[in-house]
Amino acid sequence: MIDEKLKSVYHDIVSRNPAQQEFHQATREVLESLGPVVAKHPEYLHAKVIQMLAEPERQIIFRVPWADDQGQVHINRGFRIEFNSALGPFKGGLRFHPSVNLGIVKFLGFEQVFKNALTGLPIGGGKGGSDFDPKGRSDAEVMRFCQSFMTELYRHLGEYTDVPAGDIGVGTREIGYLFGQYKRITNRYESAVITGKSTEWGGSQVRTEATGYGAVFFAKEMLEAQNGSIEGKRCIVSGSGNVAIYAIEKLHQLGAIVVACSDSDGFIHDPAGIDLDLLKQVKSVERQRLTTYAERRGGVTHHPAGSVWSIPAEVVFPCATQNELSGRDAASLAKNGCIAVVEGANMPCTAAAIDVFRENGILFGPAKAANAGGVATSALEMQQNASRDSWEFHYTEDRLAKIMSNIHDTCLSTADEFGRPGDYVTGANVAGFKRVAAAMMAFGLV
Ligand code: NDP
């Protein structure tokens, strides 16, 4: 429920941003957490900090023309939402997926502001992308698209201004083409203008693994806070992209067993535990579908329809995309004995699903907190670039684990302080909000 004092703020957001459902969903969730904060700190209401926070500092929408291998012309749309720079340069990934539109980029950018604040690092929030679909495109086509995209975007970027990274459909290959074009146009080797780079040319160790590993570190903290353990738990990880693959890797390293994962064509059930080498080969190297995984490995079933959440598991990690876990899926997880849900993707659980988790006492780790390991490690990448240094894998992973542990503790103590003990959603929203709001109040009306 949104507090009476904040209802008009929410109605204004909805009427000023029509047809942006995902953005409404994301702002609503934050506003539902802020009631106890404005009761304690009415100054935020007087200064209209929440309204300022819901309005991006700058929104850039541009045309991206490119030609495919047959010489046929395509026109895509590019976006960059520079949401909030109170704590540092705008920071957040680029998503290439046909579903990308203004409402999706804005919800992602809004979430990013709070997430980045929670890391405790000096980074603002932003997000961008395009409705371009890299699936089935040759390397040369992806390169031409990335070059056209950056030919417009470069003028808005800079290591002190706006620093993009990857997201759905944007991995090391795309980051390489984007950085190459930026370098060519600006004639500057400005490493820290983009993160998620290959470790061969300025990327950080552990950045590739960071979001998935970080989500598992967060889950481990959540279970340990209840005197439990991740070891031996049966898990589901949805998706089979960057976040999912490294969540599975860390879960296996910690002695959990992942029995199912998915892609946009269905899901696989592998009761013996996912064969990670095979999964990486099929999805990351060959860029094939999960049907190929099922063909090459015995004892696996592939389900083109139905829900991955129908499989019994104790701890689950939605790591594919927004709103992929519904209220009905949540009810099925509860019935099958699920004890914890940890979001690796951004806003993968619907509001109805989160209600079901609360009603059934299922621990819930929201994306802002649980998947912050990716952007936190991006900030570590910027730090290494600035000092022309590169850190070793274990040192960097240690830093990541400590950051996740701090975020976990901050969420719990903030939830306690604001009267909702154990509620990680409130903890994450309020702690992130307070840090950004303090900086915004200090800067005045800018
Ligand atoms: P990838 O593109 O590497 O992987 C995405 C995976 O999700 C793929 O397996 C894809 O299937 C599947 N997927 C995408 N859209 C859908 C859909 N509509 N229905 C079903 N499955 C779908 O992206 P990432 O792993 O990088 O990102 C996954 C999520 O994590 C996103 O929400 C992203 O915003 C979030 N995130 C990512 C971070 C990062 O560091 N990469 C940081 C923080 C959050 P297919 O193979 O068929 O395309």
Side-chain angles (χ1 to χ4, degrees):
M1 283 286 286
I2 299 184
D3 186 275
E4 270 314 310
K5 293 195 196 73
L6 294 172
K7 275 194 175 147
S8 64
V9 177
Y10 179 66
H11 291 312
D12 275 0
I13 291 172
V14 172
S15 67
R16 283 168 65 83
N17 304 280
Q20 297 177 6
Q21 287 86 350
E22 292 85 0
F23 181 55
H24 304 164
Q25 184 183 343
T27 50
R28 186 183 177 96
E29 189 213 274
V30 169
L31 289 177
E32 284 177 352
S33 297
L34 293 185
V37 182
V38 293
K40 218 169 169 175
H41 299 282
E43 66 273 19
Y44 290 140
L45 280 179
H46 299 144
K48 297 208 169 165
V49 173
I50 301 170
Q51 288 93 326
M52 291 254 284
L53 250 169
E55 188 67 29
E57 287 181 32
R58 189 174 298 114
Q59 309 188 47
I60 302 147
I61 304 181
F62 51 101
R63 183 175 68 199
V64 191
W66 58 283
D68 66 23
D69 289 344
Q70 284 70 45
Q72 204 181 330
V73 172
H74 298 261
I75 317 285
N76 284 101
R77 187 171 289 171
F79 300 90
R80 186 71 183 165
I81 306 298
E82 297 186 334
F83 225 110
N84 193 298
S85 63
L87 294 174
F90 304 106
K91 182 87 198 84
L94 296 171
R95 173 177 293 190
F96 292 168
H97 192 271
S99 65
V100 166
N101 60 37
L102 184 59
I104 289 193
V105 184
K106 279 177 67 179
F107 114 68
L108 290 163
F110 183 76
E111 293 270 300
Q112 197 81 48
V113 174
F114 296 84
K115 179 187 312 190
N116 294 5
L118 261 183
T119 65
L121 298 164
I123 39 179
K127 199 83 187 189
S130 172
D131 56 359
F132 169 71
D133 188 357
K135 214 175 286 169
R137 291 290 172 196
S138 68
D139 286 354
E141 289 174 322
V142 171
M143 180 185 75
R144 285 197 292 277
F145 174 80
C146 289
Q147 290 177 341
S148 180
F149 185 85
M150 187 53 92
T151 300
E152 171 56 32
L153 190 64
Y154 87 94
R155 71 192 81 239
H156 306 289
L157 306 183
E159 62 180 308
Y160 297 109
T161 310
D162 185 349
V163 181
D167 191 80
I168 291 179
V170 179
T172 319
R173 173 183 62 171
E174 290 75 17
I175 295 289
Y177 294 143
L178 290 164
F179 180 69
Q181 183 73 349
Y182 182 87
K183 186 173 82 61
R184 185 175 189 196
I185 296 176
T186 60
N187 194 29
R188 281 162 63 89
Y189 203 111
E190 193 183 335
S191 290
V193 74
I194 197 161
T195 59
K197 299 180 293 291
S198 161
T199 49
E200 285 155 1
W201 42 272
S204 174
Q205 298 285 346
V206 191
R207 176 60 190 90
T208 306
E209 296 85 354
T211 309
Y213 277 22
V216 175
F217 290 144
F218 196 86
K220 182 170 174 285
E221 297 278 341
M222 286 171 75
L223 294 172
E224 286 173 2
Q226 308 285 321
N227 298 318
S229 159
I230 191 82
E231 198 181 338
K233 295 287 185 298
R234 289 172 72 77
C235 303
I236 301 170
V237 175
S238 68
S240 47
N242 170 268
V243 179
I245 282 177
Y246 291 100
I248 296 171
E249 182 164 285
K250 185 50 72 181
L251 283 165
H252 284 180
Q253 285 172 10
L254 295 178
I257 169 168
V258 181
V259 295
C261 69
S262 61
D263 64 16
S264 41
D265 295 337
F267 68 94
I268 50 165
H269 184 198
D270 189 343
I274 303 272
D275 177 339
L276 192 61
D277 289 340
L278 178 59
L279 186 68
K280 283 183 178 172
Q281 175 64 28
V282 169
K283 292 300 296 188
S284 309
V285 181
E286 298 175 25
R287 297 179 193 270
Q288 288 296 327
R289 320 301 306 150
L290 283 176
T291 41
T292 307
Y293 176 98
E295 279 157 23
R296 292 190 198 164
R297 182 165 157 88
V300 175
T301 47
H302 180 267
H303 304 258
S307 167
V308 71
W309 312 116
S310 61
I311 294 170
E314 293 155 292
V315 185
V316 310
F317 297 80
C319 295
T321 194
Q322 64 274 357
N323 291 329
E324 57 162 312
L325 199 162
S326 66
R328 213 158 121 197
D329 295 325
S332 150
L333 287 170
K335 190 173 102 231
N336 287 330
C338 174
I339 57 167
V341 178
V342 183
E343 293 187 322
N346 283 313
M347 207 170 74
C349 300
T350 64
I354 298 169
D355 287 344
V356 174
F357 302 148
R358 285 203 177 105
E359 284 154 20
N360 287 276
I362 294 175
L363 287 170
F364 175 61
K368 279 186 202 83
N371 75 20
V375 74
T377 310
S378 276
L380 301 182
E381 183 170 327
M382 291 163 74
Q383 202 174 320
Q384 292 167 75
N385 293 153
S387 57
R388 307 251 191 278
D389 199 357
S390 70
W391 307 338
E392 286 179 349
F393 191 95
H394 291 297
Y395 173 77
T396 318
E397 190 184 10
D398 245 29
R399 299 266 316 240
L400 168 65
K402 284 200 185 88
I403 290 169
M404 296 314 295
S405 169
N406 284 340
I407 294 175
H408 173 269
D409 295 353
T410 302
C411 288
L412 275 193
S413 59
T414 309
D416 259 355
E417 185 189 338
F418 286 88
R420 298 187 189 165
D423 182 348
Y424 288 92
V425 175
T426 298
N429 286 336
V430 173
F433 170 78
K434 282 182 67 191
R435 189 158 178 251
V436 184
M440 288 175 73
M441 297 278 278
F443 297 159
L445 295 179
V446 292

